[in-house]
């Protein structure tokens, strides 16, 4: 086993839609990559393990999982996915399965915290003390970096489940299985499709869906600014591929804050404040590699 | 000048309603305390300086100010109160005035961040990695501790200005001068009084005001849990003197979260999760003393 080969890292973005696996050391040095649709835990995890087994050796692994998940190493359900509405995945002990397959240091956090970490290491969050990554796709989730560390606390952020005021002409009930009309229930991809009968990519740019979507996401950004005051807010995920949303969101955020937060980043340079991911769709899997690297360095002491 | 006298600290809670000044070393060792109503900057700051001058010597000072304020030491308006709606106080360079009067180390942060720091040192936040302090009084503000540090970022948290869905039977327009019906505009003390024609202490316990107030504050707690996931949420300020709000808020928070955040602190021990300040109304001024102490220690190296 060569020393060089051992300094590769395994990154897994275990998302609700797909599992993205990569081996490498950073954004410009990916040795292998593969993805599998998220089906049953058995099938999806088996394929993932097969991919990584074929890539051995590597020094450490980072797992970025959809959640909620248990990050408390003192808890009996540490490393489990917990109360997910995703059928079959509730209470899956994902960390333990990978630990049994790969006896190396394994880092474990939420997909969005790890994406924020990836952006902080190599993307749009570089050099900042605090940054938030919010993904808007099949669900809405957010994570962040505060003073160089991924956000944890009681559990971890679940930013998609904040409550926002309804846009006045919106009669859609909301489709979050836990909360109905929380942010995710009103503004994630499936909510757009359920409300308008067409998916985000099918809706023309001049459709009223976009102004409404921008308003909901601006309400979320407003709340993130008020609660966390991050130095940058990175918006990723499938819905944000509709890049015409960015100027609409920025405009609505300025209307909502109404000059109260007197920072040049909001008053003068909001284009640099609310931004797409620097790593495109790779924030999660590259963040997982960055997390693996950090685990390997910690293990070395 | 005795060594012992020099190891006293000055704490100033520069609030929107009153300036609270204290000299001492901690909650059980306050040598002198005085408070002045917040009138013009000239009058209020002069009285404050006179109080502290009479108490010299002390080793360092902590200032906990109402905001928004500029905490960025590289900014030309560092140490200023910035966009406050409080008449006469906009752009007051409060830090500089105290620095000129007292050539010692001076720590400076928002009243609510410092209150969170006080609670973390000596009150309801002891031993935690993350905790939030939300005050509900003439305004609503929140600060917090993340990994032992006060929350900062682009500026600092302004938690009172999140947007929450209206309670369905609430027709009050909201009275935040910047945002109308943000949380502060709907749920701070002056909003209660404007909506019901009576101040919080005058409203009987069975008045519908309380269920509505609990709902608004529970929406705020819900959002804090989703964005920050703090290990404890401390609710202080004048409105929270109505302690019958606590069980109402806890109940509404559990209804809002609906089992999604699977932590025993929420599912089983929410009485220990949403709590009054351990230091009563002294979180801010004692936090300012704790901040002064930290500044003195930093200055020593």
């Amino acid at each position: 086993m060569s020393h060089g080969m051992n300094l590769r890292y395994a990154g897994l973005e275990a998302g609700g839609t797909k599992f993205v696996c990569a081996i490498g050391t950073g954004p410009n040095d990916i040795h292998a990559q593969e993805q599998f649709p998220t089906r049953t835990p058995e099938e999806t995890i088996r394929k993932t393990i097969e991919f990584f087994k074929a890539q051995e050796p590597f020094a450490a692994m980072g797992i970025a999982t959809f959640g909620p998940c248990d990050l408390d190493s003192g808890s009996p359900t540490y490393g489990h996915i917990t109360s997910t509405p995703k059928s079959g995945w509730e209470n899956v002990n994902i960390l333990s399965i990978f630990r049994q397959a790969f006896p190396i240091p394994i880092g474990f956090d939420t997909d969005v915290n790890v994406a924020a970490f990836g952006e902080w290491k190599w993307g749009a969050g570089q050099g900042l003390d605090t940054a938030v990554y919010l993904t808007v796709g099949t669900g809405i989730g957010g994570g962040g970096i505060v003073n160089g560390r991924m956000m944890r606390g009681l559990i971890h952020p679940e930013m998609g489940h904040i409550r926002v005021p309804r846009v006045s002409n919106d009669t859609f009930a909301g489709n979050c299985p836990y909360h109905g009309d929380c942010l995710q229930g009103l503004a994630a991809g499936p909510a757009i499709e359920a409300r308008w009968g067409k998916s985000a990519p099918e809706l023309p740019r001049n459709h009223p869906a976009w102004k409404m979507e921008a308003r909901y996401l601006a309400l979320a950004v407003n709340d993130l600014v008020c609660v966390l005051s991050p130095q940058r807010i990175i918006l990723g995920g499938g819905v944000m591929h509709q890049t015409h949303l960015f100027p609409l969101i920025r405009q609505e955020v300025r209307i909502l804050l109404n000059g109260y937060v007197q920072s040049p980043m909001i008053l003068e340079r909001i284009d640099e404040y609310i931004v797409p991911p620097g790593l495109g769709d790779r924030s999660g899997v590259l963040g997982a590699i960055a997390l693996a690297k950090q685990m390997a360095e910690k293990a070395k002491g």
Side-chain angles (χ1 to χ4, degrees), chain A:
Chain A
M1 191 192 294
S2 83
H3 181 70
M5 284 296 276
N6 225 351
L7 288 179
R8 303 156 25 120
Y9 307 98
L12 167 61
E13 183 187 6
T17 309
K18 58 183 189 287
F19 273 41
V20 184
C21 314
I23 295 284
T25 66
N28 303 314
D29 181 40
I30 294 300
H31 307 173
Q33 183 162 342
E34 187 83 72
Q35 65 181 57
F36 310 103
T38 309
R39 298 212 176 103
T40 64
E42 295 69 27
E43 178 190 336
T44 317
I45 293 174
R46 179 179 49 76
K47 285 188 177 167
T48 305
I49 289 176
E50 280 169 11
F51 167 83
F52 284 121
K53 279 286 172 197
Q55 298 296 330
E56 284 182 309
F58 40 82
M61 178 180 273
I63 300 178
T65 182
F66 70 93
C69 56
D70 188 341
L71 302 178
D72 174 3
S73 58
S75 156
T77 55
Y78 173 56
H80 290 224
I81 293 170
T82 59
S83 53
T84 179
K86 195 160 176 68
S87 171
W89 286 88
E90 203 169 1
N91 302 318
V92 166
N93 189 350
I94 185 166
L95 176 59
S96 169
I97 296 167
F98 281 93
R99 275 192 170 162
Q100 279 164 33
F102 303 100
I104 50 171
I106 301 186
F108 179 72
D109 215 301
T110 67
D111 46 5
V112 277
N113 260 344
V114 173
F117 190 62
E119 288 291 321
W120 181 72
K121 275 280 185 192
W122 295 313
Q126 289 175 76
L128 302 179
D129 295 322
T130 62
V132 166
Y133 177 90
L134 192 78
T135 181
V136 188
T138 50
I140 297 183
I145 299 297
V146 175
N147 297 324
R149 293 165 70 163
M150 285 179 280
M151 287 178 68
R152 292 187 178 188
L154 184 69
I155 58 160
H156 52 71
E158 276 291 341
M159 299 182 188
H161 299 273
I162 61 171
R163 303 298 173 104
V164 292
R166 262 170 188 286
V167 172
S168 59
N169 58 340
D170 184 17
T171 55
F172 177 58
N175 61 3
C176 170
Y178 282 86
H179 312 119
D181 63 355
C182 64
L183 177 69
Q184 172 170 306
L186 291 171
I192 297 175
E193 187 160 353
R195 183 189 286 112
W196 302 106
K198 280 183 181 167
S199 72
E202 293 167 333
L203 289 162
R205 274 199 180 202
N206 61 356
H207 194 282
W210 297 117
K211 195 173 161 52
M212 185 182 288
E213 181 70 9
R215 177 75 180 182
Y216 281 127
L217 297 178
L219 283 159
V221 168
N222 176 83
D223 290 3
L224 293 175
V225 169
C226 291
V227 173
L228 264 174
S229 197
Q231 290 166 305
R232 185 161 291 147
I233 295 177
I234 302 161
L235 301 179
V239 171
M240 296 310 300
H241 288 172
Q242 309 298 319
T243 54
H244 57 98
L245 274 170
F246 280 95
L248 296 174
I249 293 167
R250 292 178 186 127
Q251 188 185 6
E252 288 288 336
V253 167
R254 289 188 54 168
I255 291 169
L256 283 165
L257 288 170
N258 194 24
Y260 185 68
V261 174
Q262 288 197 346
S263 164
M265 282 299 275
I266 288 173
L267 301 177
E268 295 156 27
R269 303 201 303 272
I270 199 164
D271 291 9
E272 299 167 39
Y273 186 63
I274 300 169
V275 299
L279 303 172
D281 286 333
R282 303 196 302 159
S283 320
V285 70
L286 289 170
I289 284 178
L291 178 58
K293 212 164 165 175
Q294 191 187 57
M295 290 303 292
E297 280 155 15
K298 268 193 200 158
K300 272 200 300 193

